[in-house]
Amino acid sequence: MAARALTLGQFIIQEERKHPEASGEFTSLLGDIALASKLINREVIRAGLVDILGYTGGENVHGDRVQKLDRFAHQVIHQVLGSTGQLAVLASEEDEDIVPVPDGQPVGKYVVNFDPLDGSSNINANVNIGTIFSILPRLTRRGPGTVEDCLQAGRRQVAAGYVMYGSSTMLVFTTGDGVHGFTFEPSLGEFLLSHPNIRIPERGRIYSVNEGNCVHWHEGVKRYVDWLKCDDPATGRPYSARYVGSLVADFHRNLLYGGVFLYPADKRNPNGKLRVLYEAAPLAFVAEQAGGLASDGTRRIMEIAPSSLHQRTPLIIGSPQDVRECIEFNLGKHVAVTSDRRHAP
Ligand code: P6P
């Protein structure tokens, strides 16, 4: 007989029972993230049908033209999470500064850094996009949260995860006790536990990088990617290239199948492209909890304490053996163990 499908709410209560000291505040915050994602999902799946596509004409802090769905997702998360009474402050890709909880709402003890709709340039092509969130305890003791509450190293996270809107909508998160995936069942309006205790394979056979940037790559990255294309059945090479251009989609596939995603520093972007607070750090928490690794090429992503809300970082994330090999090449330390000596430094 198939195991009974646990709803997200049942799962959270089951997990909460493992922590008698739990106050329940954190539990309700996870439930509210699920609520916000259902509201966003409803619009995302209709994006092609209603005049919500197209551009607001505005630009976000990075100069990217903001699509209406981005703004909608940001506002939903701000309103739903901000009115839980659990949050002291939020930070969003869509706002240059911190986002205080909505006026008149009580201030709580948590911080949420989020990317409301990552990969939004893919919206019009109906390619998977996602919401990424990171939950931290506030540092300040009282009053409205501050930017310092947001600027904490990823190792301080108490929860992190993402919602991927695609052929099915999935919520994947960790609270530091493994990684669990829930699939949205629209007829029930519920997220059902579909991927308990996700573990990433030690090594994959997939690499995800935008090879269109190779003219800007440093030598170590070029040698690593070339090495992945060499024939060596012992390490499963040549690897397959898979690159959606939507971080959540690329990360999720590699989490389940194994492999490595890299968005390295290059001669054009010395700090890489992806942001620490609401892209690299939450996915690093998920990756590590699933047995994977996440690095900027020299240090653990979870050790980075950013000095600004939108600080960027190089990102190498995925199966542990793949991430380690990539770092060795990046640092010029890899000695190819195969007969192919072309890549020895
Ligand atoms: P590129 C989307 O804009 C995003 O922030 C991530 O979702 C994605 O991994 C990356 O940028 C893609 O960047 O330069 O390869 O198009």
Side-chain angles (χ1 to χ4, degrees):
M1 177 179 168
R4 183 168 65 90
L6 276 181
T7 66
L8 175 65
Q10 291 166 329
F11 177 85
I12 292 174
I13 289 168
Q14 182 180 283
E15 291 299 295
E16 191 179 299
R17 288 198 186 108
K18 296 177 184 175
H19 305 279
E21 75 286 0
S23 64
E25 292 168 311
F26 181 56
T27 298
S28 73
L29 193 48
L30 284 174
D32 290 314
I33 285 173
L35 171 60
S37 67
K38 292 175 188 175
L39 295 169
I40 295 167
N41 181 60
R42 190 174 60 184
E43 294 308 323
V44 166
I45 60 177
R46 289 167 41 196
L49 302 175
V50 297
D51 182 28
I52 197 166
L53 282 182
Y55 292 93
T56 59
E59 288 191 347
N60 68 15
V61 295
H62 315 287
D64 298 333
R65 290 174 60 76
V66 178
Q67 300 220 15
K68 286 181 181 176
L69 264 179
D70 280 22
R71 203 67 211 157
F72 171 80
H74 168 88
Q75 287 160 356
V76 165
I77 292 169
H78 181 216
Q79 287 303 321
V80 170
L81 296 193
S83 55
T84 62
Q86 306 300 348
L87 295 192
V89 66
L90 303 94
S92 168
E93 183 196 24
E94 292 304 322
D95 276 5
E96 187 159 4
D97 298 320
I98 55 173
V99 183
V101 298
D103 291 340
Q105 293 298 336
V107 172
K109 65 183 185 180
Y110 291 108
V111 174
V112 172
N113 296 325
F114 66 102
D115 185 347
L117 214 53
D118 177 81
S120 55
S121 57
N122 291 296
I123 290 173
N124 296 352
N126 198 23
V127 169
N128 288 15
I129 52 181
T131 297
I132 309 173
F133 61 90
S134 167
I135 304 177
L136 302 133
R138 69 180 299 178
L139 290 175
T140 52
R141 300 190 59 76
R142 62 184 59 79
T146 67
V147 68
E148 283 70 31
D149 288 312
C150 298
L151 295 177
Q152 300 181 55
R155 66 179 182 284
R156 293 266 304 152
Q157 294 175 101
V158 291
Y162 55 90
V163 182
M164 184 171 66
Y165 310 99
S167 53
S168 65
T169 292
M170 275 196 76
L171 166 63
V172 178
F173 71 86
T174 181
T175 58
D177 189 13
V179 175
H180 310 286
F182 297 77
T183 300
F184 187 59
E185 170 45 75
S187 65
L188 301 176
E190 289 280 7
F191 279 102
L192 302 180
L193 180 64
S194 54
H195 297 70
N197 297 308
I198 297 173
R199 300 294 295 171
I200 192 167
E202 273 295 302
R203 174 190 288 282
R205 289 206 54 209
I206 292 170
Y207 72 100
S208 308
V209 67
N210 183 344
E211 299 213 43
N213 294 333
C214 67
V215 288
H216 307 297
W217 287 348
H218 295 302
E219 200 48 39
V221 176
K222 288 178 182 172
R223 290 212 323 273
Y224 175 61
V225 174
D226 285 346
W227 184 70
L228 290 178
K229 298 173 183 175
C230 292
D231 194 20
D232 176 9
T235 58
R237 290 182 292 127
Y239 279 21
S240 295
R242 294 288 184 276
Y243 192 74
V244 177
S246 181
L247 176 59
V248 170
D250 282 316
F251 176 80
H252 183 72
R253 182 203 50 247
N254 291 0
L255 180 70
L256 296 186
Y257 295 169
V260 61
F261 172 96
L262 53 153
Y263 208 110
D266 62 31
K267 295 163 192 163
R268 196 181 40 173
N269 296 308
N271 297 312
K273 173 181 182 181
L274 301 173
R275 275 53 64 94
V276 176
L277 279 185
Y278 42 77
E279 290 173 327
L283 296 186
F285 192 14
V286 172
E288 290 195 2
Q289 281 290 312
L293 293 176
S295 168
D296 69 353
T298 55
R299 58 186 167 161
R300 191 175 162 234
I301 290 291
M302 298 267 275
E303 295 302 328
I304 301 174
S307 54
S308 62
L309 291 179
H310 305 289
Q311 181 174 316
R312 298 176 189 269
T313 178
L315 178 62
I316 305 166
I317 190 167
S319 294
Q321 290 188 24
D322 290 306
V323 172
R324 287 191 195 100
E325 279 169 356
C326 182
I327 292 170
E328 286 170 357
F329 271 88
N330 250 347
L331 300 177
K333 293 179 179 173
H334 192 280
V335 177
V337 293
T338 66
S339 55
D340 179 341
R341 305 298 297 173
R342 278 187 305 129
H343 298 285

PDB file of all heavy atoms in Angstrom, residues 77-107:
ATOM      1  N   ILE A  77       4.712  38.345  -1.592  1.00  0.00           N
ATOM      2  CA  ILE A  77       5.560  37.867  -0.498  1.00  0.00           C
ATOM      3  C   ILE A  77       5.634  38.912   0.603  1.00  0.00           C
ATOM      4  O   ILE A  77       5.513  38.604   1.796  1.00  0.00           O
ATOM      5  CB  ILE A  77       6.956  37.493  -1.034  1.00  0.00           C
ATOM      6  CG1 ILE A  77       6.836  36.253  -1.923  1.00  0.00           C
ATOM      7  CG2 ILE A  77       7.948  37.261   0.099  1.00  0.00           C
ATOM      8  CD1 ILE A  77       8.080  35.928  -2.728  1.00  0.00           C
ATOM      9  N   HIS A  78       5.760  40.168   0.210  1.00  0.00           N
ATOM     10  CA  HIS A  78       5.829  41.240   1.205  1.00  0.00           C
ATOM     11  C   HIS A  78       4.555  41.281   2.038  1.00  0.00           C
ATOM     12  O   HIS A  78       4.586  41.341   3.273  1.00  0.00           O
ATOM     13  CB  HIS A  78       6.054  42.576   0.500  1.00  0.00           C
ATOM     14  CG  HIS A  78       6.151  43.735   1.448  1.00  0.00           C
ATOM     15  ND1 HIS A  78       5.648  44.981   1.149  1.00  0.00           N
ATOM     16  CD2 HIS A  78       6.678  43.844   2.702  1.00  0.00           C
ATOM     17  CE1 HIS A  78       5.864  45.798   2.174  1.00  0.00           C
ATOM     18  NE2 HIS A  78       6.491  45.126   3.132  1.00  0.00           N
ATOM     19  N   GLN A  79       3.404  41.192   1.371  1.00  0.00           N
ATOM     20  CA  GLN A  79       2.125  41.293   2.101  1.00  0.00           C
ATOM     21  C   GLN A  79       1.864  40.048   2.960  1.00  0.00           C
ATOM     22  O   GLN A  79       1.531  40.152   4.128  1.00  0.00           O
ATOM     23  CB  GLN A  79       0.976  41.491   1.097  1.00  0.00           C
ATOM     24  CG  GLN A  79       0.940  42.883   0.485  1.00  0.00           C
ATOM     25  CD  GLN A  79       0.852  43.980   1.544  1.00  0.00           C
ATOM     26  OE1 GLN A  79       0.143  43.825   2.551  1.00  0.00           O
ATOM     27  NE2 GLN A  79       1.604  45.065   1.358  1.00  0.00           N
ATOM     28  N   VAL A  80       2.054  38.876   2.348  1.00  0.00           N
ATOM     29  CA  VAL A  80       1.701  37.646   3.092  1.00  0.00           C
ATOM     30  C   VAL A  80       2.674  37.425   4.251  1.00  0.00           C
ATOM     31  O   VAL A  80       2.275  37.212   5.389  1.00  0.00           O
ATOM     32  CB  VAL A  80       1.707  36.426   2.139  1.00  0.00           C
ATOM     33  CG1 VAL A  80       1.581  35.113   2.920  1.00  0.00           C
ATOM     34  CG2 VAL A  80       0.577  36.551   1.116  1.00  0.00           C
ATOM     35  N   LEU A  81       3.973  37.488   3.979  1.00  0.00           N
ATOM     36  CA  LEU A  81       4.946  37.235   5.042  1.00  0.00           C
ATOM     37  C   LEU A  81       5.007  38.402   6.013  1.00  0.00           C
ATOM     38  O   LEU A  81       5.178  38.208   7.223  1.00  0.00           O
ATOM     39  CB  LEU A  81       6.338  36.969   4.433  1.00  0.00           C
ATOM     40  CG  LEU A  81       6.492  35.733   3.558  1.00  0.00           C
ATOM     41  CD1 LEU A  81       7.961  35.453   3.309  1.00  0.00           C
ATOM     42  CD2 LEU A  81       5.824  34.522   4.180  1.00  0.00           C
ATOM     43  N   GLY A  82       4.861  39.602   5.462  1.00  0.00           N
ATOM     44  CA  GLY A  82       4.987  40.781   6.323  1.00  0.00           C
ATOM     45  C   GLY A  82       3.860  40.898   7.321  1.00  0.00           C
ATOM     46  O   GLY A  82       3.986  41.535   8.363  1.00  0.00           O
ATOM     47  N   SER A  83       2.735  40.224   7.050  1.00  0.00           N
ATOM     48  CA  SER A  83       1.593  40.376   7.975  1.00  0.00           C
ATOM     49  C   SER A  83       1.476  39.178   8.915  1.00  0.00           C
ATOM     50  O   SER A  83       0.459  38.997   9.590  1.00  0.00           O
ATOM     51  CB  SER A  83       0.296  40.509   7.157  1.00  0.00           C
ATOM     52  OG  SER A  83       0.180  39.397   6.285  1.00  0.00           O
ATOM     53  N   THR A  84       2.525  38.351   8.974  1.00  0.00           N
ATOM     54  CA  THR A  84       2.463  37.182   9.876  1.00  0.00           C
ATOM     55  C   THR A  84       2.826  37.560  11.313  1.00  0.00           C
ATOM     56  O   THR A  84       2.594  36.798  12.237  1.00  0.00           O
ATOM     57  CB  THR A  84       3.473  36.102   9.429  1.00  0.00           C
ATOM     58  OG1 THR A  84       4.798  36.669   9.518  1.00  0.00           O
ATOM     59  CG2 THR A  84       3.209  35.641   8.015  1.00  0.00           C
ATOM     60  N   GLY A  85       3.441  38.741  11.467  1.00  0.00           N
ATOM     61  CA  GLY A  85       3.913  39.097  12.807  1.00  0.00           C
ATOM     62  C   GLY A  85       5.191  38.369  13.168  1.00  0.00           C
ATOM     63  O   GLY A  85       5.711  38.507  14.272  1.00  0.00           O
ATOM     64  N   GLN A  86       5.730  37.584  12.231  1.00  0.00           N
ATOM     65  CA  GLN A  86       6.941  36.792  12.520  1.00  0.00           C
ATOM     66  C   GLN A  86       8.213  37.513  12.080  1.00  0.00           C
ATOM     67  O   GLN A  86       9.305  37.118  12.461  1.00  0.00           O
ATOM     68  CB  GLN A  86       6.894  35.448  11.763  1.00  0.00           C
ATOM     69  CG  GLN A  86       5.650  34.613  11.979  1.00  0.00           C
ATOM     70  CD  GLN A  86       5.454  34.233  13.439  1.00  0.00           C
ATOM     71  OE1 GLN A  86       6.360  34.410  14.262  1.00  0.00           O
ATOM     72  NE2 GLN A  86       4.295  33.743  13.770  1.00  0.00           N
ATOM     73  N   LEU A  87       8.046  38.536  11.215  1.00  0.00           N
ATOM     74  CA  LEU A  87       9.228  39.103  10.562  1.00  0.00           C
ATOM     75  C   LEU A  87       9.620  40.448  11.152  1.00  0.00           C
ATOM     76  O   LEU A  87       8.761  41.262  11.499  1.00  0.00           O
ATOM     77  CB  LEU A  87       8.977  39.280   9.053  1.00  0.00           C
ATOM     78  CG  LEU A  87       8.765  38.004   8.245  1.00  0.00           C
ATOM     79  CD1 LEU A  87       8.834  38.317   6.756  1.00  0.00           C
ATOM     80  CD2 LEU A  87       9.778  36.942   8.598  1.00  0.00           C
ATOM     81  N   ALA A  88      10.942  40.646  11.228  1.00  0.00           N
ATOM     82  CA  ALA A  88      11.469  41.956  11.644  1.00  0.00           C
ATOM     83  C   ALA A  88      11.767  42.812  10.417  1.00  0.00           C
ATOM     84  O   ALA A  88      11.641  44.027  10.438  1.00  0.00           O
ATOM     85  CB  ALA A  88      12.747  41.751  12.448  1.00  0.00           C
ATOM     86  N   VAL A  89      12.152  42.132   9.320  1.00  0.00           N
ATOM     87  CA  VAL A  89      12.541  42.876   8.116  1.00  0.00           C
ATOM     88  C   VAL A  89      12.693  41.874   6.971  1.00  0.00           C
ATOM     89  O   VAL A  89      12.862  40.666   7.211  1.00  0.00           O
ATOM     90  CB  VAL A  89      13.881  43.619   8.354  1.00  0.00           C
ATOM     91  CG1 VAL A  89      15.038  42.642   8.559  1.00  0.00           C
ATOM     92  CG2 VAL A  89      14.186  44.604   7.232  1.00  0.00           C
ATOM     93  N   LEU A  90      12.567  42.342   5.747  1.00  0.00           N
ATOM     94  CA  LEU A  90      12.790  41.526   4.563  1.00  0.00           C
ATOM     95  C   LEU A  90      13.807  42.224   3.665  1.00  0.00           C
ATOM     96  O   LEU A  90      14.005  43.444   3.764  1.00  0.00           O
ATOM     97  CB  LEU A  90      11.500  41.329   3.757  1.00  0.00           C
ATOM     98  CG  LEU A  90      10.282  40.706   4.434  1.00  0.00           C
ATOM     99  CD1 LEU A  90       9.376  41.817   4.970  1.00  0.00           C
ATOM    100  CD2 LEU A  90       9.512  39.842   3.455  1.00  0.00           C
ATOM    101  N   ALA A  91      14.426  41.443   2.779  1.00  0.00           N
ATOM    102  CA  ALA A  91      15.251  42.022   1.703  1.00  0.00           C
ATOM    103  C   ALA A  91      14.903  41.268   0.428  1.00  0.00           C
ATOM    104  O   ALA A  91      14.738  40.040   0.449  1.00  0.00           O
ATOM    105  CB  ALA A  91      16.741  41.872   2.021  1.00  0.00           C
ATOM    106  N   SER A  92      14.765  42.012  -0.651  1.00  0.00           N
ATOM    107  CA  SER A  92      14.292  41.428  -1.910  1.00  0.00           C
ATOM    108  C   SER A  92      15.188  41.849  -3.077  1.00  0.00           C
ATOM    109  O   SER A  92      15.720  42.971  -3.081  1.00  0.00           O
ATOM    110  CB  SER A  92      12.864  41.918  -2.196  1.00  0.00           C
ATOM    111  OG  SER A  92      12.477  41.611  -3.527  1.00  0.00           O
ATOM    112  N   GLU A  93      15.294  40.976  -4.070  1.00  0.00           N
ATOM    113  CA  GLU A  93      16.035  41.364  -5.271  1.00  0.00           C
ATOM    114  C   GLU A  93      15.416  42.588  -5.904  1.00  0.00           C
ATOM    115  O   GLU A  93      16.078  43.376  -6.552  1.00  0.00           O
ATOM    116  CB  GLU A  93      16.077  40.224  -6.293  1.00  0.00           C
ATOM    117  CG  GLU A  93      16.918  40.632  -7.502  1.00  0.00           C
ATOM    118  CD  GLU A  93      16.724  39.753  -8.733  1.00  0.00           C
ATOM    119  OE1 GLU A  93      15.669  39.126  -8.867  1.00  0.00           O
ATOM    120  OE2 GLU A  93      17.665  39.719  -9.537  1.00  0.00           O
ATOM    121  N   GLU A  94      14.110  42.759  -5.685  1.00  0.00           N
ATOM    122  CA  GLU A  94      13.396  43.815  -6.384  1.00  0.00           C
ATOM    123  C   GLU A  94      13.489  45.179  -5.721  1.00  0.00           C
ATOM    124  O   GLU A  94      12.989  46.157  -6.276  1.00  0.00           O
ATOM    125  CB  GLU A  94      11.911  43.433  -6.537  1.00  0.00           C
ATOM    126  CG  GLU A  94      11.675  42.266  -7.473  1.00  0.00           C
ATOM    127  CD  GLU A  94      12.270  42.511  -8.858  1.00  0.00           C
ATOM    128  OE1 GLU A  94      12.210  43.661  -9.346  1.00  0.00           O
ATOM    129  OE2 GLU A  94      12.795  41.570  -9.436  1.00  0.00           O
ATOM    130  N   ASP A  95      14.070  45.245  -4.527  1.00  0.00           N
ATOM    131  CA  ASP A  95      14.166  46.558  -3.848  1.00  0.00           C
ATOM    132  C   ASP A  95      15.601  46.829  -3.432  1.00  0.00           C
ATOM    133  O   ASP A  95      16.254  45.950  -2.863  1.00  0.00           O
ATOM    134  CB  ASP A  95      13.254  46.608  -2.618  1.00  0.00           C
ATOM    135  CG  ASP A  95      11.823  46.978  -2.997  1.00  0.00           C
ATOM    136  OD1 ASP A  95      11.573  47.087  -4.220  1.00  0.00           O
ATOM    137  OD2 ASP A  95      10.959  47.109  -2.125  1.00  0.00           O
ATOM    138  N   GLU A  96      16.037  48.061  -3.694  1.00  0.00           N
ATOM    139  CA  GLU A  96      17.436  48.405  -3.388  1.00  0.00           C
ATOM    140  C   GLU A  96      17.733  48.301  -1.894  1.00  0.00           C
ATOM    141  O   GLU A  96      18.778  47.826  -1.481  1.00  0.00           O
ATOM    142  CB  GLU A  96      17.725  49.828  -3.884  1.00  0.00           C
ATOM    143  CG  GLU A  96      19.198  50.231  -3.780  1.00  0.00           C
ATOM    144  CD  GLU A  96      19.539  51.383  -4.715  1.00  0.00           C
ATOM    145  OE1 GLU A  96      18.615  51.899  -5.381  1.00  0.00           O
ATOM    146  OE2 GLU A  96      20.721  51.739  -4.783  1.00  0.00           O
ATOM    147  N   ASP A  97      16.775  48.783  -1.089  1.00  0.00           N
ATOM    148  CA  ASP A  97      16.990  48.791   0.370  1.00  0.00           C
ATOM    149  C   ASP A  97      16.176  47.698   1.052  1.00  0.00           C
ATOM    150  O   ASP A  97      15.400  46.994   0.407  1.00  0.00           O
ATOM    151  CB  ASP A  97      16.594  50.176   0.937  1.00  0.00           C
ATOM    152  CG  ASP A  97      17.472  51.271   0.346  1.00  0.00           C
ATOM    153  OD1 ASP A  97      18.695  51.014   0.195  1.00  0.00           O
ATOM    154  OD2 ASP A  97      16.933  52.337  -0.023  1.00  0.00           O
ATOM    155  N   ILE A  98      16.314  47.622   2.357  1.00  0.00           N
ATOM    156  CA  ILE A  98      15.544  46.627   3.123  1.00  0.00           C
ATOM    157  C   ILE A  98      14.050  46.955   2.982  1.00  0.00           C
ATOM    158  O   ILE A  98      13.662  48.089   2.673  1.00  0.00           O
ATOM    159  CB  ILE A  98      15.941  46.619   4.610  1.00  0.00           C
ATOM    160  CG1 ILE A  98      15.818  48.009   5.231  1.00  0.00           C
ATOM    161  CG2 ILE A  98      17.331  46.035   4.780  1.00  0.00           C
ATOM    162  CD1 ILE A  98      16.031  48.016   6.734  1.00  0.00           C
ATOM    163  N   VAL A  99      13.231  45.940   3.206  1.00  0.00           N
ATOM    164  CA  VAL A  99      11.779  46.081   3.059  1.00  0.00           C
ATOM    165  C   VAL A  99      11.172  45.920   4.453  1.00  0.00           C
ATOM    166  O   VAL A  99      11.163  44.801   4.997  1.00  0.00           O
ATOM    167  CB  VAL A  99      11.219  45.004   2.108  1.00  0.00           C
ATOM    168  CG1 VAL A  99       9.713  45.188   1.904  1.00  0.00           C
ATOM    169  CG2 VAL A  99      11.946  45.062   0.760  1.00  0.00           C
ATOM    170  N   PRO A 100      10.734  47.001   5.081  1.00  0.00           N
ATOM    171  CA  PRO A 100      10.150  46.857   6.424  1.00  0.00           C
ATOM    172  C   PRO A 100       8.828  46.081   6.354  1.00  0.00           C
ATOM    173  O   PRO A 100       8.206  46.008   5.285  1.00  0.00           O
ATOM    174  CB  PRO A 100       9.927  48.307   6.869  1.00  0.00           C
ATOM    175  CG  PRO A 100       9.953  49.139   5.641  1.00  0.00           C
ATOM    176  CD  PRO A 100      10.716  48.388   4.590  1.00  0.00           C
ATOM    177  N   VAL A 101       8.424  45.515   7.461  1.00  0.00           N
ATOM    178  CA  VAL A 101       7.125  44.834   7.447  1.00  0.00           C
ATOM    179  C   VAL A 101       6.053  45.894   7.183  1.00  0.00           C
ATOM    180  O   VAL A 101       6.249  47.076   7.487  1.00  0.00           O
ATOM    181  CB  VAL A 101       6.854  44.090   8.777  1.00  0.00           C
ATOM    182  CG1 VAL A 101       7.894  43.012   9.016  1.00  0.00           C
ATOM    183  CG2 VAL A 101       6.783  45.058   9.948  1.00  0.00           C
ATOM    184  N   PRO A 102       4.920  45.504   6.584  1.00  0.00           N
ATOM    185  CA  PRO A 102       3.893  46.495   6.251  1.00  0.00           C
ATOM    186  C   PRO A 102       3.455  47.303   7.474  1.00  0.00           C
ATOM    187  O   PRO A 102       3.479  46.803   8.609  1.00  0.00           O
ATOM    188  CB  PRO A 102       2.733  45.642   5.724  1.00  0.00           C
ATOM    189  CG  PRO A 102       3.377  44.388   5.222  1.00  0.00           C
ATOM    190  CD  PRO A 102       4.532  44.145   6.138  1.00  0.00           C
ATOM    191  N   ASP A 103       3.094  48.555   7.225  1.00  0.00           N
ATOM    192  CA  ASP A 103       2.671  49.447   8.328  1.00  0.00           C
ATOM    193  C   ASP A 103       1.595  48.773   9.186  1.00  0.00           C
ATOM    194  O   ASP A 103       0.705  48.111   8.666  1.00  0.00           O
ATOM    195  CB  ASP A 103       2.096  50.754   7.756  1.00  0.00           C
ATOM    196  CG  ASP A 103       3.206  51.580   7.107  1.00  0.00           C
ATOM    197  OD1 ASP A 103       4.385  51.310   7.463  1.00  0.00           O
ATOM    198  OD2 ASP A 103       2.907  52.428   6.248  1.00  0.00           O
ATOM    199  N   GLY A 104       1.744  48.993  10.489  1.00  0.00           N
ATOM    200  CA  GLY A 104       0.713  48.515  11.412  1.00  0.00           C
ATOM    201  C   GLY A 104       0.860  47.046  11.779  1.00  0.00           C
ATOM    202  O   GLY A 104       0.129  46.536  12.630  1.00  0.00           O
ATOM    203  N   GLN A 105       1.812  46.353  11.140  1.00  0.00           N
ATOM    204  CA  GLN A 105       1.976  44.929  11.453  1.00  0.00           C
ATOM    205  C   GLN A 105       2.979  44.770  12.597  1.00  0.00           C
ATOM    206  O   GLN A 105       3.956  45.525  12.682  1.00  0.00           O
ATOM    207  CB  GLN A 105       2.481  44.171  10.228  1.00  0.00           C
ATOM    208  CG  GLN A 105       1.472  44.106   9.098  1.00  0.00           C
ATOM    209  CD  GLN A 105       0.196  43.359   9.490  1.00  0.00           C
ATOM    210  OE1 GLN A 105       0.191  42.517  10.412  1.00  0.00           O
ATOM    211  NE2 GLN A 105      -0.901  43.692   8.831  1.00  0.00           N
ATOM    212  N   PRO A 106       2.770  43.795  13.490  1.00  0.00           N
ATOM    213  CA  PRO A 106       3.742  43.568  14.577  1.00  0.00           C
ATOM    214  C   PRO A 106       5.074  43.105  14.012  1.00  0.00           C
ATOM    215  O   PRO A 106       5.130  42.513  12.924  1.00  0.00           O
ATOM    216  CB  PRO A 106       3.076  42.477  15.422  1.00  0.00           C
ATOM    217  CG  PRO A 106       2.085  41.806  14.528  1.00  0.00           C
ATOM    218  CD  PRO A 106       1.639  42.846  13.540  1.00  0.00           C
ATOM    219  N   VAL A 107       6.137  43.386  14.725  1.00  0.00           N
ATOM    220  CA  VAL A 107       7.488  43.017  14.298  1.00  0.00           C
ATOM    221  C   VAL A 107       7.883  41.733  15.011  1.00  0.00           C
ATOM    222  O   VAL A 107       7.695  41.598  16.221  1.00  0.00           O
ATOM    223  CB  VAL A 107       8.476  44.159  14.649  1.00  0.00           C
ATOM    224  CG1 VAL A 107       9.913  43.729  14.401  1.00  0.00           C
ATOM    225  CG2 VAL A 107       8.139  45.397  13.823  1.00  0.00           C
TER     226      VAL A 107
END
